[in-house]
């Protein structure tokens, strides 16, 4: 009996010695679990799109076992996306329906990718299960938030930025609680230049300024803002027509926000609501570790007809 017990103890010791050691936890990029990201392919500034351009709005989730998951919405330059009407309206302001890019409305398909990642210093490398790869730089501009910037990919994506934190992705900020200030940023887009009848692309700085927005209701903020002298905005307005832009920022809960704007001179007759080709910009909120609202990552898909309108990506934050 003693010999049998000794044998069992010996086997137990051997098993303990040869059992594999659990894999070491991966280092999350910037120490953050999830990122709100907009990424895409945009033709070089001033050159025509080729037809391969796309935009993607996504949440990236990094697990400590070295795996990554991406939940995303996708728009392609060579496919038309009719506008979708969302549930919130601008009741309390001009009582109009509000729209978003087709494919972002509630109930639309959310696509998914899974893969693995490695972090080396300030470099993040992702390999998706379909074999495509992405490379990013990682910075920590301040406590509570980290930033990803795309440096290259194997599938055509050439612009991208993401903002990450460790707050649960179910956390969002209600429109009434978003600070009404200017959120600066930048954009990259492909477009059909209707005035000169040609395809083009553009890169630049811009922003979302909420200082003049008023609360229509719990689900909508809105403003009608005159175009500054010398601005090229609302070039479709006829001579003598007042140049102003009507903006809507809406939400039906969660990180998704709907941003829409159009030139008011395009309203027909006595109509106060516009049903034409407004600028449709799906957005995801950027929130830091303290659950503070910091801005948006977004895309624009104002292209009811393939290869026309505008398709691009943008980032407007106070980070």
């Amino acid at each position: 009996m003693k010999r049998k017990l000794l044998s069992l103890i010996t086997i137990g010791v051997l098993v303990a010695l040869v059992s594999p050691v659990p894999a070491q936890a991966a280092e999350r990029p910037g120490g953050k679990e999830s990122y709100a990201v907009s990424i895409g392919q945009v033709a070089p500034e001033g050159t025509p799109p080729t037809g391969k351009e796309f935009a993607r709005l996504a949440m990236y989730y990094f697990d400590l076992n070295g795996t990554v998951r991406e939940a995303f919405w996708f728009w392609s330059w060579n496919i038309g996306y009719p506008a979708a009407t969302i549930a919130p309206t601008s009741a309390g302001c001009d009582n109009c329906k509000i729209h978003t890019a087709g494919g972002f409305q509630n109930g639309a398909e959310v696509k998914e990718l899974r893969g693995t990642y490695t972090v080396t210093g300030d470099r993040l490398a992702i390999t998706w299960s379909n074999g495509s790869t992405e490379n990013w730089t990682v910075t920590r501009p301040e406590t509570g938030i980290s930033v990803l910037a795309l440096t290259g990919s194997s599938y055509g994506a050439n612009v991208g930025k993401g903002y990450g934190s460790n707050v649960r992705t179910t956390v969002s900020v209600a429109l009434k609680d978003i600070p009404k200030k200017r959120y600066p940023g930048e954009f990259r887009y492909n477009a059909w230049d209707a005035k000169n009848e040609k395809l083009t692309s553009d890169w630049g700085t811009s922003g979302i300024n909420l200082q003049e927005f008023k609360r229509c209701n719990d689900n909508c903020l809105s403003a009608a803002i005159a175009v500054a002298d010398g601005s090229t905005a609302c070039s479709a307005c006829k001579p003598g027509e007042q140049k102003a832009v009507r903006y809507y920022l809406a939400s039906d809960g969660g990180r998704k926000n709907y941003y829409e704007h159009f030139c008011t001179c395009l309203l027909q007759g006595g109509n106060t609501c516009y049903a034409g080709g407004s600028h449709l910009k799906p957005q995801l909120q950027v929130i830091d570790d303290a659950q503070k609202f910091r801005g948006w990552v977004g895309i624009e898909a104002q292209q009811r007809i393939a290869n026309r309108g505008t398709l691009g990506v943008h980032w407007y934050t106070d980070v």
Side-chain angles (χ1 to χ4, degrees):
M1 184 68 180
K2 288 183 179 180
R3 182 177 299 172
K4 184 176 181 181
L5 181 60
L6 181 60
S7 297
L8 289 173
I9 293 173
T10 302
I11 292 172
V13 172
L14 288 173
V15 169
L17 289 174
V18 300
S19 293
V21 177
Q24 186 175 1
E27 176 190 353
R28 286 182 170 132
K32 305 305 179 186
E33 180 178 358
S34 63
Y35 283 78
V37 176
S38 57
I39 180 175
Q41 179 176 346
V42 177
E45 185 176 4
T47 65
T50 64
K52 297 180 181 179
E53 289 75 17
F54 64 87
R56 205 163 75 206
L57 188 57
M59 289 298 300
Y60 282 39
Y61 304 93
F62 295 92
D63 290 328
L64 286 173
N65 63 2
T67 62
V68 57
R69 179 173 67 89
E70 177 186 5
F72 67 97
W73 298 265
F74 177 87
W75 294 267
S76 173
W77 177 244
N78 60 10
I79 297 176
Y81 296 93
T85 302
I86 61 174
T89 71
S90 63
C93 289
D94 54 358
N95 299 309
C96 293
K97 294 180 179 179
I98 301 173
H99 309 89
T100 191
F104 194 63
Q105 69 274 19
N106 270 355
E109 179 187 10
V110 181
K111 302 179 184 295
E112 183 180 86
L113 281 174
R114 292 179 180 270
T116 59
Y117 73 93
T118 57
V119 175
T120 307
D122 63 352
R123 304 288 175 172
L124 165 66
I126 297 175
T127 301
W128 299 110
S129 58
N130 61 10
S132 61
T133 60
E134 295 170 7
N135 292 288
W136 305 77
T137 58
V138 186
T139 56
R140 305 187 190 195
E142 58 184 80
T143 301
I145 198 161
S146 295
V147 181
L148 301 179
L150 186 74
T151 58
S153 76
S154 66
Y155 61 93
N158 61 354
V159 291
K161 188 177 288 187
Y163 296 82
S165 71
N166 289 318
V167 71
R168 296 181 65 87
T169 54
T170 54
V171 172
S172 61
V173 176
L175 291 185
K176 64 182 179 65
D177 296 324
I178 292 177
K180 290 185 177 180
K181 62 180 186 178
R182 185 176 188 274
Y183 297 87
E186 56 185 320
F187 64 84
R188 310 280 189 268
Y189 67 72
N190 311 290
W192 166 249
D193 181 348
K195 183 177 181 179
N196 298 303
E197 296 189 342
K198 66 177 183 178
L199 293 169
T200 186
S201 58
D202 196 10
W203 299 29
T205 58
S206 183
I208 294 179
N209 190 350
L210 298 184
Q211 291 176 321
E212 296 185 44
F213 278 59
K214 64 169 287 188
R215 180 179 173 185
C216 304
N217 54 68
D218 287 345
N219 300 310
C220 176
L221 304 177
S222 183
I225 301 175
V227 174
D229 292 339
S231 171
T232 58
C234 295
S235 58
C237 294
K238 297 175 182 177
E241 290 183 323
Q242 182 181 12
K243 292 183 178 182
V245 180
R246 166 63 70 177
Y247 295 91
Y248 301 118
L249 178 64
S251 170
D252 47 17
R255 291 278 187 100
K256 294 171 63 174
N257 284 171
Y258 309 103
Y259 188 49
E260 178 182 13
H261 58 88
F262 60 88
C263 295
T264 57
C265 69
L266 301 177
L267 293 169
Q268 298 296 313
N271 293 333
T272 57
C273 300
Y274 183 56
S278 56
H279 291 271
L280 305 170
K281 298 179 177 179
Q283 316 260 59
L284 289 176
Q285 293 184 352
V286 173
I287 301 175
D288 66 18
D289 284 350
Q291 301 188 15
K292 180 182 177 182
F293 179 82
R294 307 305 302 271
W296 301 269
V297 299
I299 69 98
E300 177 174 357
Q302 183 254 339
Q303 46 168 148
R304 292 174 294 176
I305 301 173
N307 304 314
R308 293 293 186 269
T310 301
L311 178 68
V313 294
H314 56 259
W315 313 274
Y316 300 132
T317 77
D318 61 7
V319 178

